[in-house]
Amino acid sequence: MIPLFVFGCGRRPRPVDDEISGDKILAGQLLSVADAGKVMYGHQDDLSYGHSWKVTDWENDDLERSDVKDVSGMYPAVLGFDLGGIELGDSCNLDGVPFGLIRKAALTHRSRGGVVTFSWHLRNPLTGGDSWDISSDQVVASVLEGGEKHEEFLVWLDRLADFLNSLGHAPVIFRPWHENIGSWFWWGGKLCAAEQYKALFRLTRERLEEKGVKNLLWCYSPNGPISKEDYLSRYPGDDIVDILGTDLYEYNNGDLEAAGAAYMANLKQMLTTLTEISKEHLKLMCLSETGLEGIPDPHWWTQRLYPAIQGFPICYLLTWRNAHDRPGHFYGPWKGFENEEDFKLFSEKKDIVLL
Ligand code: BMA
């Protein structure tokens, strides 16, 4: 094959995306961040809406608004979106974000040098319910080969593949079948056998690749905290997974002091476990979701999150969305909220990366 090169004025030729595939470029970017002892900060849905605003005319919007930027002057380094609804051919995801906007935001963010990650709260193919419909423990079995919903599920995967292919060369981190040790999603721990879960993950990757989807890094992200044994009990395999993640939140049950202390202890324990597994399996690692809903702790960023992640080689962490239509459902900073200054201090730490 004749290598393709881009020639700059007086510079050495550099390879274009066709030669080094996008997923490798993205892996290199993540690795260099972790190697430098830094952590990229990420926020779900950041360019599409914030605590009290949303993009309405996305085709004519330059997507320059961001709650994170309003507070810190910088965009988050990682931008998350959810693809729930793509499987049905819907025009908007389960939170009302148009897929056209998601595509535009992902490409815009990538062109700004950022990293994009997608989760997938898809519908329940057997019952017609949502991801949280756990009324049947036969759903995973039904979509695997030989199951009554297998063919329909392949169509769902193909719709997902079409969307991912529409991103062209832009690489993204894909994080399906998350929080799978708990039992709140239809693919959860008590809802299918470990081998069925692994087969589901494998089927997803293989089908997408058959459909030409190449530029993904695949993230496995069980809910934490859990033991190493539990983490690995449903691990789909080194050939299927590229990044080891975990979703771990702080839960405020009235005693903020105790909740904060428990969060820090849980996070440190989980990241210690993840570091061990990532060394053994030679994988990148991340804190795929975290946060404290409504952030009632005024020093959460600098005195809870920041000290708890110190010294762990996570390439990124992502806090969940700032819902524009549910005032208390936010996990990121926003202008006007009392812990603005605390987030600003967090964003200015030398090992925290924003754009
Ligand atoms: C959940 C909540 C839901 C949302 C879902 C997918 O954690 O934020 O409101 O629909 O994520 O984004």
Side-chain angles (χ1 to χ4, degrees), residues 44 82 94-95 121 132 320-321 326 329:
Q44 185 77 358
D82 197 88
L94 75 166
D95 300 316
H121 286 85
W132 294 267
W320 204 240
R321 65 200 194 102
R326 282 166 64 188
H329 191 57

Side-chain angles (χ1 to χ4, degrees), residues 34-52:
D35 273 356
K38 296 184 191 244
V39 179
M40 289 188 281
Y41 169 68
H43 188 217
Q44 185 77 358
D45 284 351
D46 192 80
L47 297 180
S48 57
Y49 61 80
H51 179 258
S52 44

Side-chain angles (χ1 to χ4, degrees), residues 286-342:
C286 69
L287 178 53
S288 36
E289 281 184 37
T290 195
L292 167 63
E293 188 180 30
I295 326 176
D297 180 339
H299 303 294
W300 188 78
W301 300 98
T302 56
Q303 292 179 23
R304 294 301 187 200
L305 175 64
Y306 185 68
I309 59 168
Q310 285 298 287
F312 293 108
I314 47 174
C315 49
Y316 80 88
L317 69 89
L318 179 134
T319 52
W320 204 240
R321 65 200 194 102
N322 287 359
H324 59 88
D325 49 0
R326 282 166 64 188
H329 191 57
F330 64 88
Y331 298 83
W334 49 275
K335 192 103 196 132
F337 184 58
E338 60 184 16
N339 60 13
E340 242 180 79
E341 194 49 37
D342 188 53

